[in-house]
Short mmCIF file of all heavy atoms in Angstrom, two decimals:
data_model
loop_
_atom_site.label_atom_id
_atom_site.label_comp_id
_atom_site.label_asym_id
_atom_site.label_seq_id
_atom_site.Cartn_x
_atom_site.Cartn_y
_atom_site.Cartn_z
N MET S 1 40.49 54.09 21.28
CA MET S 1 41.92 53.79 21.41
C MET S 1 42.13 52.79 22.53
O MET S 1 41.54 52.90 23.60
CB MET S 1 42.68 55.07 21.71
CG MET S 1 44.18 54.86 21.87
SD MET S 1 45.01 56.32 22.49
CE MET S 1 46.65 55.64 22.78
N LYS S 2 42.95 51.80 22.26
CA LYS S 2 43.22 50.83 23.32
C LYS S 2 44.29 51.36 24.26
O LYS S 2 45.22 52.05 23.84
CB LYS S 2 43.61 49.48 22.74
CG LYS S 2 44.85 49.47 21.87
CD LYS S 2 45.06 48.07 21.33
CE LYS S 2 46.34 47.97 20.51
NZ LYS S 2 46.58 46.60 20.03
N VAL S 3 44.14 51.01 25.51
CA VAL S 3 45.08 51.48 26.53
C VAL S 3 45.53 50.28 27.37
O VAL S 3 44.80 49.30 27.52
CB VAL S 3 44.43 52.54 27.45
CG1 VAL S 3 44.06 53.78 26.67
CG2 VAL S 3 43.22 51.97 28.16
N PRO S 4 46.75 50.36 27.90
CA PRO S 4 47.23 49.24 28.72
C PRO S 4 46.65 49.31 30.13
O PRO S 4 46.37 50.38 30.66
CB PRO S 4 48.74 49.47 28.75
CG PRO S 4 48.88 50.95 28.62
CD PRO S 4 47.75 51.41 27.73
N GLN S 5 46.49 48.14 30.71
CA GLN S 5 46.04 48.07 32.09
C GLN S 5 46.85 47.00 32.81
O GLN S 5 47.26 46.00 32.22
CB GLN S 5 44.54 47.76 32.18
CG GLN S 5 44.14 46.45 31.53
CD GLN S 5 42.64 46.21 31.55
OE1 GLN S 5 41.87 47.08 31.95
NE2 GLN S 5 42.23 45.02 31.11
N VAL S 6 47.07 47.23 34.09
CA VAL S 6 47.82 46.29 34.92
C VAL S 6 46.86 45.61 35.89
O VAL S 6 46.06 46.27 36.55
CB VAL S 6 48.92 47.02 35.72
CG1 VAL S 6 49.61 46.06 36.69
CG2 VAL S 6 49.95 47.65 34.78
N ASP S 7 46.94 44.29 35.94
CA ASP S 7 46.16 43.55 36.94
C ASP S 7 46.98 43.51 38.23
O ASP S 7 48.01 42.82 38.31
CB ASP S 7 45.91 42.13 36.43
CG ASP S 7 45.01 41.34 37.39
OD1 ASP S 7 44.97 41.69 38.59
OD2 ASP S 7 44.36 40.39 36.92
N PRO S 8 46.55 44.25 39.24
CA PRO S 8 47.35 44.34 40.47
C PRO S 8 47.44 43.02 41.22
O PRO S 8 48.33 42.83 42.06
CB PRO S 8 46.61 45.40 41.29
CG PRO S 8 45.21 45.39 40.77
CD PRO S 8 45.31 45.03 39.32
N ASP S 9 46.52 42.10 40.93
CA ASP S 9 46.56 40.79 41.59
C ASP S 9 47.66 39.90 41.00
O ASP S 9 48.10 38.95 41.65
CB ASP S 9 45.21 40.08 41.46
CG ASP S 9 44.12 40.79 42.24
OD1 ASP S 9 44.44 41.41 43.28
OD2 ASP S 9 42.96 40.73 41.81
N LEU S 10 48.06 40.20 39.78
CA LEU S 10 49.10 39.40 39.12
C LEU S 10 50.48 40.03 39.24
O LEU S 10 51.50 39.34 39.28
CB LEU S 10 48.76 39.21 37.63
CG LEU S 10 47.53 38.38 37.30
CD1 LEU S 10 47.29 38.35 35.79
CD2 LEU S 10 47.68 36.96 37.83
N CYS S 11 50.53 41.36 39.26
CA CYS S 11 51.81 42.07 39.27
C CYS S 11 52.63 41.68 40.50
O CYS S 11 52.13 41.70 41.63
CB CYS S 11 51.55 43.57 39.27
SG CYS S 11 53.06 44.56 39.39
N THR S 12 53.89 41.34 40.24
CA THR S 12 54.80 40.96 41.32
C THR S 12 55.71 42.12 41.73
O THR S 12 56.54 41.96 42.63
CB THR S 12 55.69 39.78 40.89
OG1 THR S 12 56.47 40.18 39.75
CG2 THR S 12 54.85 38.57 40.52
N GLY S 13 55.58 43.24 41.05
CA GLY S 13 56.38 44.40 41.40
C GLY S 13 57.82 44.33 40.93
O GLY S 13 58.70 44.98 41.48
N CYS S 14 58.06 43.58 39.86
CA CYS S 14 59.44 43.40 39.40
C CYS S 14 60.02 44.69 38.81
O CYS S 14 61.24 44.86 38.77
CB CYS S 14 59.51 42.28 38.37
SG CYS S 14 58.84 42.71 36.75
N GLY S 15 59.16 45.56 38.33
CA GLY S 15 59.63 46.85 37.81
C GLY S 15 60.03 46.86 36.35
O GLY S 15 60.43 47.90 35.83
N ALA S 16 59.92 45.72 35.68
CA ALA S 16 60.39 45.65 34.30
C ALA S 16 59.63 46.60 33.38
O ALA S 16 60.23 47.26 32.53
CB ALA S 16 60.26 44.21 33.78
N CYS S 17 58.34 46.68 33.54
CA CYS S 17 57.56 47.54 32.64
C CYS S 17 57.94 49.01 32.81
O CYS S 17 58.01 49.74 31.82
CB CYS S 17 56.06 47.34 32.87
SG CYS S 17 55.52 47.62 34.56
N ALA S 18 58.20 49.41 34.03
CA ALA S 18 58.59 50.80 34.28
C ALA S 18 60.00 51.07 33.75
O ALA S 18 60.33 52.21 33.41
CB ALA S 18 58.51 51.12 35.76
N ASP S 19 60.83 50.04 33.67
CA ASP S 19 62.15 50.20 33.07
C ASP S 19 62.05 50.33 31.55
O ASP S 19 62.71 51.18 30.95
CB ASP S 19 63.03 48.98 33.40
CG ASP S 19 63.57 49.03 34.81
OD1 ASP S 19 63.54 50.12 35.42
OD2 ASP S 19 64.02 47.99 35.31
N VAL S 20 61.21 49.49 30.95
CA VAL S 20 61.08 49.47 29.50
C VAL S 20 60.34 50.71 29.00
O VAL S 20 60.70 51.29 27.98
CB VAL S 20 60.34 48.19 29.05
CG1 VAL S 20 59.98 48.24 27.57
CG2 VAL S 20 61.19 46.96 29.34
N CYS S 21 59.33 51.10 29.72
CA CYS S 21 58.44 52.16 29.23
C CYS S 21 58.03 53.09 30.38
O CYS S 21 56.87 53.11 30.78
CB CYS S 21 57.22 51.50 28.59
SG CYS S 21 56.21 52.62 27.62
N PRO S 22 58.97 53.87 30.88
CA PRO S 22 58.68 54.72 32.04
C PRO S 22 57.70 55.85 31.74
O PRO S 22 57.16 56.46 32.68
CB PRO S 22 60.06 55.27 32.42
CG PRO S 22 60.86 55.20 31.17
CD PRO S 22 60.36 53.99 30.44
N GLU S 23 57.48 56.12 30.44
CA GLU S 23 56.52 57.17 30.09
C GLU S 23 55.09 56.75 30.44
O GLU S 23 54.21 57.60 30.61
CB GLU S 23 56.58 57.48 28.60
CG GLU S 23 57.95 57.94 28.10
CD GLU S 23 58.85 56.77 27.69
OE1 GLU S 23 58.54 55.61 28.02
OE2 GLU S 23 59.88 57.04 27.05
N VAL S 24 54.88 55.44 30.51
CA VAL S 24 53.52 54.92 30.71
C VAL S 24 53.35 54.27 32.08
O VAL S 24 52.33 54.45 32.75
CB VAL S 24 53.18 53.91 29.60
CG1 VAL S 24 51.84 53.22 29.88
CG2 VAL S 24 53.14 54.60 28.24
N PHE S 25 54.37 53.51 32.49
CA PHE S 25 54.24 52.73 33.73
C PHE S 25 55.13 53.29 34.83
O PHE S 25 56.26 53.71 34.57
CB PHE S 25 54.63 51.27 33.49
CG PHE S 25 53.83 50.59 32.42
CD1 PHE S 25 54.30 50.49 31.13
CD2 PHE S 25 52.58 50.05 32.71
CE1 PHE S 25 53.56 49.88 30.13
CE2 PHE S 25 51.82 49.43 31.72
CZ PHE S 25 52.32 49.34 30.43
N GLU S 26 54.62 53.26 36.04
CA GLU S 26 55.46 53.59 37.19
C GLU S 26 55.08 52.66 38.34
O GLU S 26 54.02 52.05 38.34
CB GLU S 26 55.30 55.06 37.60
CG GLU S 26 53.94 55.40 38.18
CD GLU S 26 53.85 56.86 38.57
OE1 GLU S 26 54.83 57.61 38.40
OE2 GLU S 26 52.77 57.26 39.04
N MET S 27 55.99 52.57 39.30
CA MET S 27 55.73 51.70 40.44
C MET S 27 55.06 52.53 41.55
O MET S 27 55.50 53.63 41.88
CB MET S 27 57.05 51.10 40.95
CG MET S 27 57.82 50.32 39.89
SD MET S 27 56.82 49.12 38.98
CE MET S 27 56.43 47.99 40.33
N SER S 28 54.01 51.96 42.11
CA SER S 28 53.30 52.64 43.19
C SER S 28 54.07 52.44 44.49
O SER S 28 55.05 51.69 44.57
CB SER S 28 51.90 52.06 43.33
OG SER S 28 51.98 50.76 43.89
N ASP S 29 53.61 53.11 45.52
CA ASP S 29 54.24 52.95 46.84
C ASP S 29 54.12 51.52 47.34
O ASP S 29 54.89 51.07 48.18
CB ASP S 29 53.59 53.91 47.84
CG ASP S 29 53.92 55.36 47.52
OD1 ASP S 29 54.89 55.60 46.78
OD2 ASP S 29 53.20 56.25 48.00
N ASP S 30 53.12 50.80 46.81
CA ASP S 30 52.92 49.40 47.21
C ASP S 30 53.72 48.44 46.34
O ASP S 30 53.53 47.22 46.43
CB ASP S 30 51.43 49.04 47.07
CG ASP S 30 50.56 49.87 48.00
OD1 ASP S 30 51.06 50.29 49.05
OD2 ASP S 30 49.39 50.10 47.65
N ASP S 31 54.61 48.99 45.48
CA ASP S 31 55.39 48.16 44.57
C ASP S 31 54.51 47.37 43.60
O ASP S 31 54.77 46.19 43.31
CB ASP S 31 56.32 47.21 45.33
CG ASP S 31 57.67 47.88 45.62
OD1 ASP S 31 57.97 48.89 44.97
OD2 ASP S 31 58.39 47.40 46.50
N ILE S 32 53.49 48.03 43.13
CA ILE S 32 52.66 47.48 42.07
C ILE S 32 52.73 48.47 40.91
O ILE S 32 52.68 49.69 41.12
CB ILE S 32 51.18 47.34 42.54
CG1 ILE S 32 51.09 46.34 43.71
CG2 ILE S 32 50.29 46.90 41.39
CD1 ILE S 32 51.45 44.93 43.38
N ALA S 33 52.85 47.93 39.71
CA ALA S 33 52.90 48.83 38.55
C ALA S 33 51.54 49.47 38.33
O ALA S 33 50.50 48.82 38.46
CB ALA S 33 53.32 48.05 37.31
N VAL S 34 51.57 50.75 37.99
CA VAL S 34 50.33 51.45 37.64
C VAL S 34 50.56 52.19 36.32
O VAL S 34 51.69 52.54 35.97
CB VAL S 34 49.91 52.46 38.73
CG1 VAL S 34 49.52 51.72 40.01
CG2 VAL S 34 51.01 53.46 39.02
N VAL S 35 49.49 52.39 35.61
CA VAL S 35 49.54 53.15 34.37
C VAL S 35 49.36 54.62 34.72
O VAL S 35 48.30 55.04 35.15
CB VAL S 35 48.44 52.68 33.39
CG1 VAL S 35 48.44 53.54 32.14
CG2 VAL S 35 48.65 51.21 33.03
N LYS S 36 50.43 55.38 34.52
CA LYS S 36 50.33 56.80 34.88
C LYS S 36 49.91 57.64 33.69
O LYS S 36 49.33 58.70 33.85
CB LYS S 36 51.67 57.30 35.43
CG LYS S 36 52.82 57.31 34.44
CD LYS S 36 54.06 57.95 35.03
CE LYS S 36 55.21 57.99 34.02
NZ LYS S 36 56.42 58.61 34.59
N ASN S 37 50.23 57.17 32.49
CA ASN S 37 49.86 57.91 31.29
C ASN S 37 49.69 56.93 30.13
O ASN S 37 50.68 56.58 29.47
CB ASN S 37 50.93 58.96 30.96
CG ASN S 37 50.56 59.76 29.72
OD1 ASN S 37 49.50 59.59 29.14
ND2 ASN S 37 51.46 60.62 29.30
N PRO S 38 48.47 56.47 29.89
CA PRO S 38 48.26 55.42 28.87
C PRO S 38 48.65 55.85 27.48
O PRO S 38 48.84 54.99 26.61
CB PRO S 38 46.76 55.13 28.97
CG PRO S 38 46.17 56.33 29.65
CD PRO S 38 47.23 56.89 30.55
N LYS S 39 48.78 57.14 27.24
CA LYS S 39 49.14 57.63 25.91
C LYS S 39 50.56 58.19 25.89
O LYS S 39 50.93 58.94 25.00
CB LYS S 39 48.15 58.70 25.46
CG LYS S 39 46.73 58.17 25.36
CD LYS S 39 45.76 59.27 24.99
CE LYS S 39 44.34 58.73 24.94
NZ LYS S 39 43.36 59.80 24.64
N GLY S 40 51.35 57.81 26.90
CA GLY S 40 52.69 58.38 27.03
C GLY S 40 53.71 57.82 26.05
O GLY S 40 54.79 58.39 25.90
N ALA S 41 53.37 56.73 25.40
CA ALA S 41 54.30 56.12 24.45
C ALA S 41 53.49 55.44 23.35
O ALA S 41 52.28 55.23 23.49
CB ALA S 41 55.19 55.09 25.15
N GLY S 42 54.18 55.11 22.27
CA GLY S 42 53.52 54.44 21.16
C GLY S 42 53.16 53.00 21.50
O GLY S 42 53.68 52.41 22.45
N GLU S 43 52.26 52.45 20.69
CA GLU S 43 51.80 51.09 20.96
C GLU S 43 52.93 50.08 20.93
O GLU S 43 52.93 49.10 21.68
CB GLU S 43 50.72 50.69 19.96
CG GLU S 43 49.38 51.33 20.25
CD GLU S 43 48.27 50.76 19.37
OE1 GLU S 43 48.49 49.71 18.73
OE2 GLU S 43 47.19 51.37 19.35
N ASP S 44 53.91 50.28 20.04
CA ASP S 44 55.01 49.32 19.94
C ASP S 44 55.81 49.25 21.24
O ASP S 44 56.18 48.17 21.70
CB ASP S 44 55.94 49.69 18.79
CG ASP S 44 55.34 49.38 17.43
OD1 ASP S 44 54.25 48.78 17.39
OD2 ASP S 44 55.96 49.74 16.42
N LYS S 45 56.05 50.42 21.81
CA LYS S 45 56.84 50.44 23.04
C LYS S 45 56.04 49.87 24.21
O LYS S 45 56.58 49.15 25.06
CB LYS S 45 57.27 51.88 23.35
CG LYS S 45 58.32 51.97 24.45
CD LYS S 45 58.93 53.34 24.54
CE LYS S 45 60.05 53.36 25.57
NZ LYS S 45 60.62 54.71 25.73
N ILE S 46 54.76 50.17 24.23
CA ILE S 46 53.90 49.59 25.27
C ILE S 46 53.84 48.08 25.11
O ILE S 46 53.88 47.33 26.10
CB ILE S 46 52.50 50.22 25.21
CG1 ILE S 46 52.57 51.71 25.57
CG2 ILE S 46 51.55 49.49 26.15
CD1 ILE S 46 51.27 52.47 25.37
N GLN S 47 53.78 47.64 23.84
CA GLN S 47 53.74 46.19 23.60
C GLN S 47 55.02 45.53 24.09
O GLN S 47 54.99 44.40 24.60
CB GLN S 47 53.52 45.92 22.11
CG GLN S 47 53.31 44.43 21.78
CD GLN S 47 52.03 43.88 22.40
OE1 GLN S 47 50.97 44.45 22.25
NE2 GLN S 47 52.14 42.77 23.13
N ASP S 48 56.15 46.22 23.94
CA ASP S 48 57.40 45.67 24.46
C ASP S 48 57.31 45.45 25.97
O ASP S 48 57.80 44.45 26.50
CB ASP S 48 58.56 46.63 24.16
CG ASP S 48 59.01 46.56 22.71
OD1 ASP S 48 58.62 45.60 22.01
OD2 ASP S 48 59.75 47.47 22.28
N ALA S 49 56.70 46.40 26.66
CA ALA S 49 56.53 46.26 28.10
C ALA S 49 55.59 45.11 28.44
O ALA S 49 55.83 44.33 29.37
CB ALA S 49 56.01 47.57 28.70
N ILE S 50 54.52 44.99 27.65
CA ILE S 50 53.57 43.89 27.86
C ILE S 50 54.28 42.56 27.65
O ILE S 50 54.15 41.63 28.47
CB ILE S 50 52.37 44.02 26.89
CG1 ILE S 50 51.52 45.24 27.28
CG2 ILE S 50 51.55 42.74 26.87
CD1 ILE S 50 50.38 45.54 26.32
N ASP S 51 55.05 42.46 26.56
CA ASP S 51 55.74 41.21 26.26
C ASP S 51 56.81 40.90 27.30
O ASP S 51 57.16 39.73 27.51
CB ASP S 51 56.39 41.31 24.88
CG ASP S 51 55.36 41.39 23.75
OD1 ASP S 51 54.20 41.05 23.99
OD2 ASP S 51 55.74 41.80 22.64
N GLY S 52 57.34 41.94 27.95
CA GLY S 52 58.41 41.73 28.91
C GLY S 52 57.93 41.41 30.31
O GLY S 52 58.74 41.06 31.17
N CYS S 53 56.65 41.53 30.54
CA CYS S 53 56.14 41.23 31.88
C CYS S 53 56.19 39.73 32.12
O CYS S 53 55.57 38.96 31.38
CB CYS S 53 54.70 41.74 32.03
SG CYS S 53 53.99 41.30 33.63
N PRO S 54 56.90 39.28 33.14
CA PRO S 54 57.08 37.84 33.36
C PRO S 54 55.82 37.11 33.80
O PRO S 54 55.77 35.88 33.73
CB PRO S 54 58.17 37.78 34.43
CG PRO S 54 58.10 39.09 35.13
CD PRO S 54 57.65 40.10 34.10
N VAL S 55 54.83 37.85 34.25
CA VAL S 55 53.62 37.17 34.74
C VAL S 55 52.37 37.57 33.93
O VAL S 55 51.24 37.30 34.34
CB VAL S 55 53.39 37.47 36.25
CG1 VAL S 55 54.49 36.82 37.07
CG2 VAL S 55 53.31 38.96 36.50
N GLU S 56 52.61 38.22 32.80
CA GLU S 56 51.51 38.61 31.90
C GLU S 56 50.42 39.38 32.63
O GLU S 56 49.23 39.13 32.48
CB GLU S 56 50.92 37.37 31.20
CG GLU S 56 51.95 36.66 30.34
CD GLU S 56 51.37 35.48 29.55
OE1 GLU S 56 50.15 35.34 29.49
OE2 GLU S 56 52.19 34.72 28.98
N ALA S 57 50.87 40.35 33.44
CA ALA S 57 49.91 41.13 34.22
C ALA S 57 49.39 42.34 33.46
O ALA S 57 48.45 42.99 33.92
CB ALA S 57 50.59 41.61 35.51
N ILE S 58 50.00 42.63 32.30
CA ILE S 58 49.58 43.81 31.54
C ILE S 58 48.80 43.35 30.31
O ILE S 58 49.22 42.41 29.62
CB ILE S 58 50.78 44.65 31.08
CG1 ILE S 58 51.78 44.85 32.23
CG2 ILE S 58 50.31 46.01 30.56
CD1 ILE S 58 53.10 45.48 31.79
N SER S 59 47.73 44.02 30.05
CA SER S 59 46.93 43.68 28.87
C SER S 59 46.38 44.96 28.27
O SER S 59 46.39 46.02 28.88
CB SER S 59 45.80 42.73 29.26
OG SER S 59 44.96 43.35 30.23
N TRP S 60 45.88 44.82 27.05
CA TRP S 60 45.22 45.96 26.39
C TRP S 60 43.76 45.98 26.77
O TRP S 60 43.11 44.95 26.85
CB TRP S 60 45.33 45.83 24.87
CG TRP S 60 46.70 46.04 24.31
CD1 TRP S 60 47.50 45.09 23.77
CD2 TRP S 60 47.41 47.28 24.21
NE1 TRP S 60 48.68 45.67 23.35
CE2 TRP S 60 48.65 47.00 23.60
CE3 TRP S 60 47.14 48.61 24.58
CZ2 TRP S 60 49.60 47.99 23.34
CZ3 TRP S 60 48.08 49.58 24.33
CH2 TRP S 60 49.30 49.28 23.72
N SER S 61 43.27 47.17 26.97
CA SER S 61 41.85 47.36 27.22
C SER S 61 41.32 48.31 26.16
O SER S 61 41.93 49.34 25.88
CB SER S 61 41.65 47.95 28.61
OG SER S 61 40.31 48.33 28.80
N GLU S 62 40.21 47.98 25.58
CA GLU S 62 39.62 48.86 24.54
C GLU S 62 39.04 50.10 25.18
O GLU S 62 38.43 50.05 26.24
CB GLU S 62 38.55 48.11 23.75
CG GLU S 62 39.11 46.92 22.98
CD GLU S 62 40.10 47.33 21.90
OE1 GLU S 62 39.97 48.47 21.40
OE2 GLU S 62 40.98 46.54 21.56
S1 LIG P 101 56.50 43.88 34.38
FE1 LIG P 101 54.59 42.93 35.10
S2 LIG P 101 55.07 42.07 37.11
FE2 LIG P 101 56.71 43.50 36.59
S3 LIG P 101 56.07 45.43 37.56
FE3 LIG P 101 55.31 45.47 35.44
S4 LIG P 101 53.21 44.65 35.56
FE4 LIG P 101 54.25 44.11 37.46
#
């Protein structure tokens, strides 16, 4: 199963992914998005978060 991953070097901490898909993404204390539950939402909703990231910091990992 593919799971989303966040590149912390690219993430600007905008929070959009956690707004779109809070079941999967949350903001760390460092204001970097982290994947808290890769199976917390369906692929379509996760893809919406990926598509909404302004710096393309989220990708699928097999
Ligand atoms: S949408 Fe992208 S840049 Fe914004 S917090 Fe999420 S991973 Fe980081």
